Amino acid sequence: MTATTTPPARSRLRQAVDFGALAAFMAAYAVNRFIRGLDGQEALVQATWVLVAASAIALIVGYVTEKRIAPLPALTGGFALVFGVLTLVFHDPTLLKIKITLQNTVLAATLLGSLPFRKYPFKYLLGDAFQLTEAGWRGLTLRYGLFFAAVAVVNEIVWRSQSDDTWVAFRGGLWIASAVFGVWQVFFLMMHMIKDETPDPVSPDTGL
């Protein structure tokens, strides 16, 4: 292995940073909710300070390791920063909850909207990492578009009908579901790989 970080290694590092940021947010919520005794709304607002800091760190780490701000992490990190700051300014955790809905709606609309034009965003983002057939890029785009749309719908249902504690737990479960979905896509990618390559799991970034 060379001294230069390989693309799969950068991907794993970014995923580790994303997971660490989410874990820090959930830990901050738990401390404020169950140790300090704050109600769910106030605990979410206090934990948002951690989210904003973690999102900034994730963007910095991504830039340092890749020497650029990749489009997808920039989008998700930007959403986290903007809605995190708005949550703190207006002291309203609802803004933090709808961030997941809006972010995934944008991603779903972008991916699904690209299908009729055969201009697949994933081909632009991942084309240097591995080569897929046209059917592969189209299938990957469709799968992730539907996944992001489903996340947006489920998030709306959860935050509107469940407690703050349940929504925070849902956020943790969503990260696990995203990771599992990404691993599942490896089998699809291998079926449509042009070159004899083994792809790194493509984890959908649903946001912190």
Side-chain angles (χ1 to χ4, degrees), residues 73-161:
L75 175 66
T76 57
F79 263 93
L81 285 174
V82 170
F83 281 87
V85 170
L86 289 175
T87 297
L88 295 174
V89 170
F90 294 102
H91 210 78
D92 184 1
T94 300
L95 296 169
L96 188 64
K97 296 175 181 178
I98 65 173
K99 175 194 81 73
I100 303 299
T101 300
L102 295 177
Q103 175 183 301
N104 283 276
T105 298
V106 169
L107 290 170
T110 300
L111 293 177
L112 297 177
S114 73
L115 292 174
F117 304 99
R118 300 180 182 274
K119 299 293 185 180
Y120 311 121
F122 276 129
K123 188 174 184 179
Y124 166 72
L125 295 173
L126 306 173
D128 292 337
F130 48 86
Q131 299 296 315
L132 298 180
T133 63
E134 180 76 7
W137 289 120
R138 183 175 181 83
L140 188 68
T141 301
L142 176 62
R143 285 168 172 238
Y144 274 99
L146 294 176
F147 178 84
F148 290 133
V151 169
V153 171
V154 173
N155 181 69
E156 278 296 292
I157 294 173
V158 172
W159 85 259
R160 291 179 182 276
S161 64

Side-chain angles (χ1 to χ4, degrees), residues 161-207:
S161 64
Q162 303 299 316
S163 67
D164 295 315
D165 295 347
T166 300
W167 183 80
V168 172
F170 162 74
R171 288 294 297 111
L174 180 57
W175 191 93
I176 296 174
S178 299
V180 171
F181 183 81
V183 172
W184 179 37
Q185 301 319 299
V186 172
F187 300 100
F188 176 80
L189 296 178
M190 292 177 68
M191 292 173 56
H192 296 276
M193 193 77 69
I194 294 177
K195 295 182 179 180
D196 186 17
E197 304 174 11
T198 301
D200 205 46
V202 184
S203 292
D205 197 337
T206 55

